[in-house]
């Protein structure tokens, strides 16, 4: 299996031109960063040789600590020590009723949006907690790879909805990372297993992590990874197993469960230890001496399995549903890959094996496989492997819809639709002279608004006054390759574009992200102006480099000599701006050149499309059919 | 980007209902390999925008051509046929539809998963028969008859959606 070995192509890039890319697995319990170095992919370790960073952040009034050091505060300062923040990303207070959240977090007063936490450092968003973890990993990457990272791939559960993906993106922005792609964890795992190389067929990725469960069906053919269907539960994972072990212990100790926060933390830590040991032994002895609970006894594997059987059954049910969505049966599956530390639980392994009728692949450490796959993909996306033909095609994990009369949801894009995708929906006014309209965007499979996840409310204003039913308002949903939604609207009859005000239900506004960026520790140390200049220069230089290479390659074929000269003059203008230090001038010139080269870029893209089909050894019907670029 | 190309032109295949799905998929993948935004990651906003537009268009083209009813409606659309919102269909077909709806209601009352699955199979077979009929009429340039087939497929497809929703309900999803 072509696991960790990557052979560089003949025309390997000049080492000085190689870009620094990394894959980040931002996990519920632990996070990892991996990268390709000297053709080998591996996880990056910290100074003490440890690769796993506990996804825990401790806040004091003066300092933020992350990882193992933060973990040591979890018993003494449970509310200042934020664990499992991934579960809170893009979530409102009402979404968290099923986890014993009050025991673990001190929530700030509910404002109906994404939850926020009270800490010694003030009110903190889970996005900021995630950003702190990303920063530590990013610094580790920079230290190991010899400079700041040019780009990263961050993995998310396939089942993450728009609010959760957006929150992850925002966290990366606050951490100052250039995100090449949000990659679904199961897809990353398939990449890590090298399943692209020659393997064809259907692969199931069964991913049970600390706090999330995903099951995805992928079709591999000709180097294309296509996600056919995906499902799972973004609130089910190892944490729930720990909670069940804790419950079991409390039952055995005949405790009413009324523990203080610190004791509860210690109990959870003990529960995790018991769970982990039960993966390799049939009985674990427990001694608890907490302020409010003293108990000595043992927990048996059979008791544990009995306790978790409901959750295990849920994972199998989700697997069955994914197969059904894709219209395939378990016998058609060629490979099953296990991902996530929780798949070490023997009952999970045997249930998966029984359901799919085959032994799952487990060669790569299930805790590392996602980060390794992300690193491989980052290497491709950053441009270090120009010959790589691997392509990952994703689908929308959950249907997108709009609220209609009577609190019902009308689906606009259904789940498992390949992305990027764009769909339009038409609305009309119901009152004479109506000039505004409120549109509520939802995500989920259920019919009732109350059962779906609210993503945003859009208010359309400036609709020309007409009689009821005469206005034709077109709302366009666009989902990009990262699975992120954007919405635009226009009145078709008059061509007046209605203005759209977006109020994300569980997300952060752009201003909030900017404020958090400014407030962030790393940012405070830097000169804000210097950072803006740096970013403007990177953007400008990127355009210069890309355009120069494009002109060399395709200028003669696609452009008139005059057009080529005009673009070259534009490059020179931008370069002289880049030599200076005026941020606004650099941005303006970058914008100008970008606009001036738009047509050329479009022509090149059209040419790519032509090449794609003429390059195919298909049945010969393909002439050099000219496609007009416009 | 040339949005005036029709979806068959995008894939450079003949305009027909009975196309080779494997061939279509191969071409779809070949195109996505060239235009997917991943190929232009880190190349700036302009490249990302163009790539996303193309990849979106190719996904749309594939969605319209790979699914029989969508493909049949699209073919009629290309021929300038405007589909009616409330088409008139012969009473025998409508009567059968009413009976099928009643059957679906009975299955819902009975809560029988096995019957729901059998019903879905029956509907799918009827749907394939209509698709074959469409193909014959379309090839013979009998657009009126072909259009009737599309209307029938629309009815069946709605019923099929209802049956599948019931199946999901019975499966406890």
């Amino acid at each position: 299996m072509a696991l960790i070995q990557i052979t560089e192509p003949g025309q390997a890039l000049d080492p000085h031109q190689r870009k620094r890319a990394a894959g980040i697995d931002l996990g519920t319990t632990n996070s990892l960063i991996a990268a390709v170095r000297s053709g080998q992919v591996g996880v990056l370790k910290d100074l003490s040789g440890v690769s796993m960073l506990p996804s825990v952040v401790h806040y004091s009034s003066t300092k933020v600590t992350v990882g193992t050091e933060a973990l040591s505060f979890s018993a003494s300062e449970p509310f200042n020590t934020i664990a499992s923040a991934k579960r809170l990303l893009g979530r409102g207070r009402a979404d968290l009723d099923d986890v014993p959240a009050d025991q673990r977090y001190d929530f700030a007063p509910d404002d109906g949006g994404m939850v926020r936490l009270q800490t010694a450092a003030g009110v903190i968003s889970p996005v900021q907690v995630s950003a702190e973890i990303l920063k530590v990993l990013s610094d580790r990457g920079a230290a190991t790879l010899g400079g700041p990272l040019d780009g990263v791939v961050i993995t998310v559960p396939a089942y993450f909805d728009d609010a959760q993906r957006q929150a992850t993106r925002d966290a990366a922005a606050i951490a100052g990372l250039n995100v090449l792609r949000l990659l679904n964890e199961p897809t990353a795992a398939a990449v890590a297993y090298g399943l692209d190389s020659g393997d064809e067929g259907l692969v199931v990725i069964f991913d049970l992590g600390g706090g999330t469960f995903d099951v995805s069906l992928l079709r591999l053919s000709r180097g294309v990874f296509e996600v056919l269907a995906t499902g799972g539960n973004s609130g089910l994972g190892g944490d729930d197993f720990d909670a069940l072990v804790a419950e079991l212990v409390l039952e055995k100790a005949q405790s009413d469960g009324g523990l203080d926060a610190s004791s509860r933390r210690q109990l959870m830590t003990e529960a995790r230890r018991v769970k982990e040991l039960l993966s390799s032994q049939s009985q674990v002895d427990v001694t608890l001496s907490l302020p409010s609970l003293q108990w000595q006894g043992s927990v048996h594997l059979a008791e544990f399995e009995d306790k978790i059987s409901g959750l295990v059954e849920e994972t199998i049910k989700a697997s069955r549903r994914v197969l059904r969505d894709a219209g395939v049966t378990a016998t058609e599956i060629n490979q099953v890959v296990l991902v996530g530390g929780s798949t070490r639980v023997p009952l999970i392994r045997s249930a998966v094996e029984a359901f799919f009728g085959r032994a799952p692949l487990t060669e790569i450490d299930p805790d590392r496989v996602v980060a390794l796959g992300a690193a491989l993909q980052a290497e491709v996306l950053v441009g270090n492997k120009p010959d790589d033909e691997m392509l990952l095609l994703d689908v929308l994990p959950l249907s997108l819809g709009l609220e209609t009369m009577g609190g019902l949801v009308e689906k606009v894009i259904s789940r498992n639709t390949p992305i990027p995708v764009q769909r339009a929906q038409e609305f009309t006014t119901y009152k004479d002279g109506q000039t505004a309209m409120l549109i509520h965007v939802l995500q989920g499979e259920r019919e009732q608004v109350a059962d779906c996840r609210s993503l945003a409310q859009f208010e359309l204003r400036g609709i020309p006054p007409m009689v009821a039913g005469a206005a034709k308002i077109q709302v366009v949903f666009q989902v990009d390759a990262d699975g992120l939604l954007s919405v635009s609207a226009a009145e078709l009859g008059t061509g007046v574009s209605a203005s759209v005000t977006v109020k994300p239900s569980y997300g952060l506004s752009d201003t909030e992200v900017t404020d958090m960026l400014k407030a962030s520790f790393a940012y405070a140390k830097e000169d804000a102006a210097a950072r803006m200049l740096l970013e403007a220069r990177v953007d400008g230089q990127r355009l210069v480099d890309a355009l120069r290479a494009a002109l060399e390659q395709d200028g003669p074929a696609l452009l008139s000599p005059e057009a080529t000269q005009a673009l070259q003059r534009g490059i020179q203008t931008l370069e002289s701006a880049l030599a200076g230090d005026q941020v606004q001038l650099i941005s303006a010139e970058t914008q100008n050149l970008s606009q001036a080269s738009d047509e050329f870029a479009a022509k090149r893209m059209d040419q790519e499309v032509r090449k794609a089909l003429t390059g195919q050894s298909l049945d010969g019907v393909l002439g050099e059919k000219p496609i007009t670029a416009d | 980007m040339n949005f005036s190309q029709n979806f068959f032109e995008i894939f450079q295949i003949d305009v027909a209902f009975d196309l080779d799905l494997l061939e279509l998929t191969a071409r779809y993948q070949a195109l996505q390999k060239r235009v997917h935004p991943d190929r232009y990651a880190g190349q700036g906003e302009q490249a990302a925008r163009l790539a996303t537009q193309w990849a979106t268009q190719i996904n749309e083209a594939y969605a319209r051509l790979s699914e029989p009813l969508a493909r049949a409606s699209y073919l009629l659309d290309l021929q300038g046929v405007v589909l009616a919102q409330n088409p008139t269909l012969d009473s025998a077909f409508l009567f059968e539809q009413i009976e099928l709806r009643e059957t679906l209601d009975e299955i819902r009352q009975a809560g029988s998963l096995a019957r729901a699955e059998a019903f879905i199979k029956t509907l799918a077979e009827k749907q394939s028969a209509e698709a074959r009929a469409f193909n014959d009429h379309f090839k013979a340039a009998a657009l009126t008859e072909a259009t009737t087939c599309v209307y029938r497929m629309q009815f069946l497809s709605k019923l099929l959606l209802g049956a599948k929703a019931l199946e999901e309900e019975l499966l406890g999803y």
Side-chain angles (χ1 to χ4, degrees):
Chain A
M1 199 172 305
L3 288 191
I4 315 293
Q5 277 291 344
I6 301 161
T7 40
E8 295 289 335
Q11 57 274 56
L13 290 166
D14 173 352
H16 299 293
Q17 284 192 344
R18 275 184 57 87
K19 298 221 170 115
R20 286 180 288 267
I24 294 179
D25 175 3
L26 182 62
T28 309
T29 320
N30 291 295
S31 296
L32 287 162
I33 181 167
V36 176
R37 285 179 294 166
S38 326
Q40 298 252 334
V41 64
V43 293
L44 307 184
K45 293 175 176 168
D46 67 9
L47 291 174
S48 44
V50 178
S51 55
M52 283 239 215
L53 178 72
S55 302
V56 178
V57 178
H58 174 256
Y59 290 90
S60 77
S61 54
T62 53
K63 202 175 162 214
V64 178
T65 46
V66 180
T68 313
E69 198 189 335
L71 203 55
S72 64
F73 292 100
S74 69
S76 57
E77 294 179 53
F79 294 144
N80 290 330
T81 312
I82 314 301
S84 301
K86 188 176 180 178
R87 278 191 150 175
L88 310 180
L89 284 177
R91 286 283 169 261
R93 186 66 190 85
D95 301 316
L96 302 165
D97 283 347
D98 56 333
V99 292
D102 283 321
Q103 306 287 344
R104 317 182 55 176
Y105 306 107
D106 183 10
F107 289 112
D110 191 8
D111 63 355
M114 197 194 308
V115 294
R116 280 158 199 266
L117 310 161
Q118 309 262 22
T119 72
V123 174
I124 297 290
S125 162
V127 174
Q128 289 168 296
V129 179
S130 302
E132 296 295 345
I133 298 165
L134 288 173
K135 264 185 239 166
V136 170
L137 293 173
S138 163
D139 289 348
R140 187 193 292 182
T144 321
L145 301 177
L149 300 177
D150 292 298
V152 296
V153 167
I154 300 178
T155 59
V156 290
Y159 212 56
F160 252 24
D161 66 27
D162 187 73
Q164 294 166 304
R165 284 168 198 263
Q166 192 60 60
T168 308
R169 269 248 176 218
D170 290 344
I174 293 168
L177 288 168
N178 171 32
V179 181
L180 300 165
R181 169 87 117 99
L182 291 183
L183 183 61
N184 285 330
E185 289 164 7
T187 314
V191 172
Y193 267 99
L195 293 176
D196 60 320
S197 51
D199 289 86
E200 303 264 314
L202 297 172
V203 180
V204 166
I205 313 288
F206 186 100
D207 179 354
L208 189 59
T212 55
F213 169 62
D214 276 332
V215 56
S216 301
L217 178 68
L218 272 63
R219 177 172 61 199
L220 309 184
S221 60
R222 296 174 276 258
V224 177
F225 287 60
E226 231 173 313
V227 179
L228 295 183
T230 185
N233 185 338
S234 59
L236 168 67
D239 287 359
D240 299 292
F241 290 6
D242 298 347
L244 287 170
V245 172
E247 196 179 295
L248 187 62
V249 168
L250 290 175
E251 279 167 22
K252 288 181 155 235
Q254 295 184 312
S255 159
D256 59 2
L259 302 181
D260 59 284
S262 165
S263 294
R264 175 150 283 272
R265 277 289 176 96
Q266 290 182 57
L267 175 64
M268 295 307 283
T269 309
E270 179 63 7
R272 176 171 303 164
R273 185 187 73 91
V274 171
K275 174 194 71 178
E276 285 171 5
L277 284 172
L278 285 175
S279 292
S280 54
Q281 57 198 63
S282 61
Q283 180 186 333
V284 178
D285 294 331
V286 179
T287 308
L288 282 175
S289 65
L290 306 175
S292 49
L293 179 65
Q294 320 283 323
W295 183 69
Q296 194 160 11
S298 54
V299 176
H300 297 266
L301 181 62
E303 294 169 324
F304 171 64
E305 294 191 338
D306 186 48
K307 205 76 185 162
I308 65 168
S309 62
L311 291 184
V312 175
E313 182 46 44
E314 262 196 57
T315 66
I316 297 301
K317 190 164 132 189
S319 306
R320 199 177 287 125
R321 182 177 188 172
V322 163
L323 295 189
R324 180 180 176 278
D325 276 355
V328 304
T329 59
T331 49
E332 292 172 68
I333 304 302
N334 303 90
Q335 296 282 16
V336 180
V337 173
L338 292 186
V339 183
S342 304
T343 59
R344 292 201 180 88
V345 172
L347 186 63
I348 290 284
R349 292 203 172 185
S350 57
V352 168
E353 185 164 349
F355 177 68
F356 291 105
R358 64 174 51 248
L361 294 176
T362 53
E363 285 86 347
I364 304 181
D365 180 345
D367 286 320
R368 297 180 172 204
V369 59
V370 166
L372 296 174
L376 291 171
Q377 177 67 357
E379 188 72 359
V380 173
L381 295 186
V382 84
N384 285 344
K385 300 189 72 184
D387 299 332
D388 200 287
E389 283 283 287
M390 180 170 78
L391 176 67
L392 314 179
L393 294 177
D394 265 325
V395 297
L396 185 70
L398 298 159
S399 302
L400 287 167
L402 290 163
E403 177 170 352
T404 60
M405 298 302 233
L408 294 179
V409 181
E410 184 175 337
K411 280 182 191 168
V412 179
I413 310 179
S414 48
R415 74 164 184 273
N416 294 327
T417 299
I419 53 174
V421 64
Q422 177 175 321
R423 292 281 151 82
Q425 191 87 351
E426 272 181 35
F427 293 89
T428 191
T429 46
Y430 63 93
K431 275 198 291 196
D432 288 347
Q434 186 180 341
T435 56
M437 185 181 272
L438 188 69
I439 288 176
H440 189 192
V441 184
L442 297 127
Q443 190 159 27
E445 309 312 315
R446 308 279 291 279
E447 280 180 6
Q448 304 279 337
V449 167
D451 298 327
C452 287
R453 165 142 282 272
S454 168
L455 290 183
Q457 310 255 7
F458 294 91
E459 197 176 28
L460 308 188
R461 292 194 164 274
I463 302 168
M466 281 183 253
V467 294
K472 269 191 176 174
I473 294 135
Q474 191 184 50
V475 179
V476 180
F477 280 53
Q478 282 177 289
V479 180
D480 70 12
D482 285 333
L484 293 174
L485 172 70
S486 59
V487 178
S488 59
E491 202 286 313
L492 294 181
T494 56
V496 174
S497 68
S499 60
V500 181
T501 323
V502 184
K503 187 190 171 295
S505 306
Y506 298 102
L508 303 174
S509 67
D510 289 349
T511 331
E512 284 175 298
V513 173
T514 313
D515 288 348
M516 285 178 186
L517 187 54
K518 283 184 184 153
S520 86
F521 184 57
Y523 198 75
K525 284 198 300 191
E526 277 181 27
D527 180 2
R531 177 150 163 165
M532 279 173 70
L533 177 61
L534 186 71
E535 280 173 6
R537 276 191 179 142
V538 167
D539 283 350
Q541 192 59 48
R542 181 189 288 150
L543 182 63
V544 167
D545 292 347
L547 187 54
R548 193 166 269 149
L551 281 172
E552 194 175 315
Q553 203 181 346
D554 292 321
L558 297 176
L559 293 178
S560 66
E562 295 77 28
T564 307
Q565 281 160 18
L567 288 178
Q568 275 161 348
R569 277 196 302 275
I571 290 177
Q572 281 163 10
T573 312
L574 177 52
E575 280 188 319
S576 51
L578 286 170
D581 54 8
Q582 295 179 57
V583 176
Q584 281 181 344
L585 181 67
I586 295 173
S587 301
E589 290 300 346
T590 305
Q591 186 64 26
N592 284 343
L593 186 58
S594 172
Q595 267 169 18
S597 61
D598 235 8
E599 195 184 334
F600 177 47
K603 281 185 178 172
R604 293 189 75 226
M605 192 67 89
D606 290 348
Q607 178 181 263
E608 280 295 297
V609 173
R610 269 200 310 276
K611 274 194 224 154
L613 291 183
T614 40
Q616 288 261 309
S617 55
L618 302 171
D619 49 9
V621 293
L622 307 172
E624 259 296 336
K625 207 168 171 183
I627 298 173
T628 44
D630 51 11
Chain B
M1 173 168 176
N2 184 0
F3 276 112
S4 63
Q5 284 183 99
N6 78 41
F7 293 152
F8 291 95
E9 284 167 354
I10 285 181
F11 293 113
Q12 299 190 23
I13 55 173
D14 293 336
V15 179
F17 182 75
D18 53 347
L19 46 78
D20 181 346
L21 274 179
L22 288 177
E23 172 75 27
L24 181 71
T25 304
R27 284 165 185 254
Y28 165 71
Q29 291 178 339
L31 283 174
Q32 285 291 16
K33 272 189 187 172
R34 296 274 181 174
V35 305
H36 194 275
D38 274 2
R39 272 187 63 102
Y40 305 89
Q43 289 186 28
E45 184 272 332
Q46 180 188 51
R49 178 169 41 81
L50 279 170
T52 303
Q53 279 174 358
W54 258 111
T56 302
Q57 179 77 346
I58 287 161
N59 274 335
E60 186 61 23
Y62 184 66
R64 285 299 289 273
L65 298 192
S66 55
E67 201 276 318
L69 174 55
R71 182 166 70 243
S73 327
Y74 185 63
L75 282 166
L76 291 178
D77 188 32
L78 288 181
Q79 295 293 322
V81 176
V82 180
L83 293 175
Q85 291 289 334
N86 295 299
T88 20
L89 292 171
D90 65 283
S91 51
F93 178 79
L94 290 175
F95 191 66
E96 193 197 1
Q97 287 301 301
I98 294 168
E99 282 190 332
L100 288 170
R101 291 225 165 259
E102 283 170 1
T103 312
L104 181 60
D105 283 339
E106 278 168 33
I107 298 171
R108 183 173 288 118
Q109 300 284 328
S112 161
L113 181 60
R115 280 186 67 196
E117 279 166 352
F119 187 63
I120 287 171
K121 211 175 152 208
T122 311
L123 290 179
E125 279 160 9
K126 284 182 184 293
Q127 186 76 305
S128 315
E130 288 298 340
R132 283 193 297 275
F134 174 88
N135 188 38
D136 293 342
H137 292 310
F138 188 78
K139 272 189 177 163
L143 291 184
T144 313
E145 290 78 1
T147 307
T148 304
C149 288
V150 166
Y151 291 143
R152 289 167 174 244
M153 286 166 82
Q154 285 174 343
F155 267 92
L156 288 167
S157 147
K158 242 182 215 160
L159 203 51
L160 204 51
L161 268 181
K164 283 189 172 162
L166 173 62
E167 189 198 20
E168 288 210 347
E169 209 179 299
L170 294 173
L171 284 166
Y173 293 146

